[in-house]
Amino acid sequence: MRIFVLGAGATGSLLAQSLERQGHTVWCGDRDLERARRFLGKKSTIAVTEVNARNLRGIVKAAKGCQLMVNASASVFNEIVLRAALRLRAHYLDLSSHLARNPFKAEQFRYAKKFEEKNRAALINAGAAPGLTNLLVKRAADLLDEVEAVHIRLYESSESDDPISQWSPEVSFDEAVSHPRIYRNGRFQLGKRFSEIEKFRFADPIGTARAVLAAQDEVATLPYFIPMGELNVKIGGNEIDRLRRWHKQGKLSRSRGMTKQHFPQTSSPRMIAKLIRRGILQNARFAAAVLVKGVKRGKKEDQRLLIRSDCAFPTLYQIRQQGRFTTPIAYATAHIAALFIKFFPRGLAGVFAPEMLPAETRRAILAEIRKHNIRITHKITVLRHKREEEEEF
């Protein structure tokens, strides 16, 4: 396909390189050409056009001739890029939702009829979390007859004395100052920031870590397509601990704005290499766990099951061994987005979250993920007693 990637930062540049290796014709657009070329690297042959994501006409001009338009810039630009894709009769993909219009429903769905009329597909929230997490929830739900509760747990940590942005600073700040979205007792709710602390057991070598409620996009799509009673997302690790500490100190609010001290610009590959050489950045980790509890009906008796999936992404050290300098989150998001594109549902029309994809497409993506040094393990536990349920969930 001919693919235009808007946003050539840490994730967008890596995604563009992955797509080029897949054999696609790829070019990028970014408001800062010098920064984009730093992320793509001196040896990259991928063309970059200067374009402002706020300028609809500029995007249409830069992306002319593309078959697929990817928004790898901030999600605040989703609707502009969606409209640009429609003008060009192109397919569309993005990595997250902005949720400004409705905190509980992805804004991209407002364009479903328009994409149907153009006979084009828009695939939304197609990264690691959201994205892969949605696929794993749907996989577990398909094994059950009734879903009672879904818990998604993420782990983000950097072994560094100074704050290092694994996400873009804008995304990190927006998540830090937003109220967590919860689906509880069949109703959407807004939770308190950094609340409902729990000790959660992540897969080894991480182990037990403190996790708190976080503003994640899975809650804005999954309950609409999978009947369930409860869904929440929590994040653990030293990065969320740092944000929680700033929040308690009153240093984290929309009114104070985003400070460079707390939310530095995402480091380019060259800068990451420099930080590693100086010993400022030793390692970084990103992991995810998806737990789905529900009922499997049988001829003789019903079983209450807990289906758990753990995702272990390459650490910063392991990524370095591949000769690359990028963060684990950018690595995971870019590689999984590339797989969503490899199996893009070009025969469908409308707007689709990952859990809405055909079963064969979801299975193909999950099978292919294992080839990218991303380890996924599954475990099913039969819940017989209340005490056992509490210990496992």
Side-chain angles (χ1 to χ4, degrees), residues 95-168:
L95 308 176
S96 60
S97 296
H98 186 49
L99 302 174
R101 293 177 180 269
N102 183 335
F104 306 120
K105 190 168 186 178
E107 69 277 3
Q108 300 98 314
F109 287 123
R110 298 176 64 247
Y111 295 82
K113 287 186 179 180
K114 293 181 179 179
F115 272 87
E116 289 172 9
E117 291 168 358
K118 297 283 187 179
N119 195 31
R120 293 294 182 268
L123 181 54
I124 68 172
N125 296 355
L132 174 57
T133 47
N134 298 59
L135 294 182
L136 294 173
V137 171
K138 178 61 175 172
R139 176 190 176 276
D142 286 346
L143 299 175
L144 299 167
D145 295 301
E146 177 186 343
V147 175
E148 297 176 352
V150 175
H151 290 178
I152 298 172
R153 300 293 180 260
L154 308 175
Y155 182 85
E156 304 169 11
S157 74
S158 299
E159 294 178 20
S160 171
D161 296 332
D162 301 323
I164 303 291
S165 287
Q166 289 212 57
W167 298 105
S168 73

Side-chain angles (χ1 to χ4, degrees), residues 260-322:
K260 292 183 179 180
Q261 177 186 357
H262 292 156
F263 297 92
Q265 287 296 317
T266 309
S267 299
S268 67
R270 179 177 290 184
M271 179 57 69
I272 289 176
K274 191 174 182 180
L275 292 172
I276 291 172
R277 285 197 302 270
R278 290 182 175 181
I280 296 173
L281 178 61
Q282 294 87 40
N283 204 357
R285 294 182 183 276
F286 177 46
V290 171
L291 297 87
V292 180
K293 182 172 66 175
V295 178
K296 180 69 175 178
R297 308 201 188 284
K299 293 182 179 180
K300 294 184 179 180
E301 62 177 10
D302 295 346
Q303 284 188 322
R304 297 184 70 247
L305 303 176
L306 171 64
I307 303 175
R308 174 168 176 158
S309 300
D310 284 282
C311 306
F313 302 99
T315 65
L316 179 69
Y317 178 76
Q318 292 168 331
I319 294 169
R320 283 170 53 201
Q321 290 182 318
Q322 298 178 26

Side-chain angles (χ1 to χ4, degrees), residues 35-73:
R35 174 178 171 272
R37 292 193 178 103
R38 285 202 303 269
F39 277 102
L40 285 166
K42 292 182 178 180
K43 297 181 180 180
S44 175
T45 58
I46 297 173
V48 187
T49 302
E50 185 176 356
V51 59
N52 190 325
R54 299 181 186 278
N55 188 328
L56 176 60
R57 288 186 179 181
I59 297 172
V60 171
K61 183 179 178 180
K64 187 177 180 180
C66 75
Q67 295 170 296
L68 171 66
M69 186 177 293
V70 178
N71 184 20
S73 64

Side-chain angles (χ1 to χ4, degrees), residues 82-93:
L82 280 160
R83 292 198 295 270
L86 287 166
R87 286 198 184 184
L88 293 171
R89 295 185 65 86
H91 298 289
Y92 170 89
L93 179 140

Side-chain angles (χ1 to χ4, degrees), residues 9-23:
T11 300
S13 61
L14 194 57
L15 172 59
Q17 291 164 349
S18 296
L19 294 174
E20 188 180 50
R21 286 194 294 271
Q22 285 183 15

